[in-house]
Amino acid sequence: MKTVYSDLHGLQHAEAEYIRGKRVASFEMPRRVELVLERVRAVALGPVVGIGDYGLETVGKVHDAEFVTFLSTAWQAWSAENGEIDAFPNAWPPPRASRRATKRPGAELGRFCIDMSSPIMAGTWTAAKAAVDAAVTAVDIVAGGDHAAFALCRPPGHHAGRDYFGGYCFLNNAAAAAQAFRDRGYGKVAVLDIDYHHGNGTQDIFYDRADVLTVSIHADPQVEYPYYSGYAEETGEGAGADFNLNLPLPWGTEYTGYGAALATGLGRIAAHGTEALVVSLGVDTFGGDPISHFKLVSDDFTRIGQAIGGLSLPTVFVMEGGYAVEEIGVNAVNVLSGFKAVA
């Protein structure tokens, strides 16, 4: 299995984020993917290849044009007014307020950003665009005949919606991969999100589409980020009605409960008649993860990979979360190795 990687991810290196009123060292750091890359090489998973440059065509099909323009120019506007310090919003539009464009960078950040975890920096746009290019490169590897590929993306992407960013995510890499599969002639595509947190951005992008099924297994949003989406009753709308499946689970879930939800999700993907699969590969379901509350152990990730491999679908894995830094490489690569063993 080829791994697609770019060292441009290191251009997004936030010093801090804000959680429950506290300024803390950012959990989303470059070392996360470097440890995954080390493990990929240690187990000889397959060749490590670079990214292609796909411009903005795919990005423009999953994100609104105004949002893309904002994100690609936000640092210039912010730094011109505030200097070279990390850019955070200083206001959010309340319900029923105008969402028209303003003339201040901090307010513009509030129009598009959903939280205080995701500062924009000088290299944010370059890193985010490279992550999308990694995902689309992986799709081209699979479309070219490989059974699977791994896009070692950073920043992650599944919290980025049509016109918003947050949760460490700026552009939606998994959505771009799904769209790329569609553009290359795959009729029915599915996204399986196994990150601990709900893939709210991916759901938002495809919620009214029937060509991309979205399935997310995640912590109950009543008690866990992103809170405002991920409920079981959210099943899609319009043409996308019944093409979105959320499988929320309680804090403390071990593999018995997780595996049952995974079986349900995989069954739905098979019933969809899926021709190509994108997996949002978050491993923050691990019991030692510092910001999560599931209790999976490292061997469970091998089981997850084996179960996904049982679908026998052309598959692109896209790296998402996982913050138990010392274990992230083992856990992520266990999924890939488990898949490779049976697919």
Side-chain angles (χ1 to χ4, degrees):
M1 183 188 299
K2 295 185 179 73
T3 294
V4 184
Y5 169 81
S6 168
D7 61 8
L8 292 174
H9 77 88
L11 295 174
Q12 178 66 19
H13 191 175
E15 177 184 342
E17 61 180 285
Y18 294 86
I19 297 180
R20 289 179 283 281
K22 296 180 180 180
R23 186 178 189 271
V24 301
S26 180
F27 289 101
E28 205 293 289
M29 64 189 76
R31 189 160 184 260
R32 296 174 56 248
V33 297
E34 298 300 338
L35 285 172
V36 176
L37 185 64
E38 287 177 14
R39 185 65 177 175
V40 163
R41 288 173 167 152
V43 304
L45 184 74
V48 177
V49 302
I51 63 173
D53 184 354
Y54 292 88
L56 293 178
E57 181 179 2
T58 305
V59 169
K61 291 180 179 179
V62 296
H63 292 292
D64 287 354
E66 184 187 22
F67 170 67
V68 174
T69 298
F70 160 78
L71 198 62
S72 64
T73 59
W75 174 253
Q76 289 85 342
W78 171 270
S79 59
E81 181 175 288
N82 301 288
E84 295 195 359
I85 58 173
D86 291 358
F88 288 96
N90 57 27
W92 280 272
R96 297 170 299 284
S98 169
R99 295 187 64 86
R100 71 181 64 185
T102 72
K103 295 184 178 180
R104 298 296 298 278
E108 286 299 272
L109 281 161
R111 283 209 301 138
F112 296 104
C113 184
I114 63 173
D115 62 26
M116 293 286 283
S117 72
S118 311
I120 288 180
M121 309 173 65
T124 298
W125 172 254
T126 300
K129 175 61 169 52
V132 167
D133 286 340
V136 179
T137 300
V139 169
D140 275 344
I141 289 170
V142 173
D146 286 22
H147 182 60
F150 174 37
L152 184 46
C153 296
R154 183 181 172 273
H158 73 148
H159 293 309
R162 303 180 201 193
D163 57 357
Y164 61 81
F165 70 98
Y168 312 133
C169 304
F170 299 93
L171 296 172
N172 196 307
N173 311 312
Q179 182 63 53
F181 269 129
R182 289 287 295 115
D183 292 344
R184 285 148 183 75
Y186 293 82
K188 292 185 177 182
V189 178
V191 179
L192 172 65
D193 193 320
I194 59 172
D195 191 278
Y196 172 79
H197 303 93
H198 176 236
N200 58 304
T202 310
Q203 172 176 301
D204 176 61
I205 289 166
F206 295 117
Y207 203 61
D208 59 358
R209 289 174 54 170
D211 57 333
V212 178
L213 170 72
T214 49
V215 176
S216 181
I217 307 167
H218 52 267
D220 182 354
Q222 284 197 307
V223 296
E224 195 56 83
Y225 186 92
Y227 302 110
Y228 306 112
S229 70
Y231 294 91
E233 61 267 26
E234 297 164 9
T235 59
E237 65 184 13
D242 297 324
F243 288 93
N244 187 81
L245 175 63
N246 287 324
L247 298 163
L249 297 170
W251 279 3
T253 292
E254 298 178 349
Y255 189 75
T256 300
Y258 192 92
L262 179 61
T264 298
L266 295 177
R268 182 68 182 87
I269 290 167
H272 177 60
T274 301
E275 299 170 21
L277 177 65
V278 177
V279 178
S280 274
L281 177 55
V283 293
D284 42 0
T285 49
F286 179 62
D289 196 277
I291 60 173
S292 305
H293 298 278
F294 284 177
K295 295 184 177 180
L296 272 61
V297 300
S298 291
D299 286 346
D300 294 333
F301 293 98
T302 303
R303 298 187 187 103
I304 290 171
Q306 291 169 340
I308 296 170
L311 290 173
S312 298
L313 289 171
T315 302
V316 164
F317 292 88
V318 176
M319 192 70 207
E320 301 284 3
Y323 308 100
V325 173
E326 296 308 318
E327 295 86 358
I328 187 174
V330 170
N331 294 340
V333 175
N334 277 3
V335 175
L336 304 172
S337 298
F339 175 93
K340 188 177 176 182
V342 301

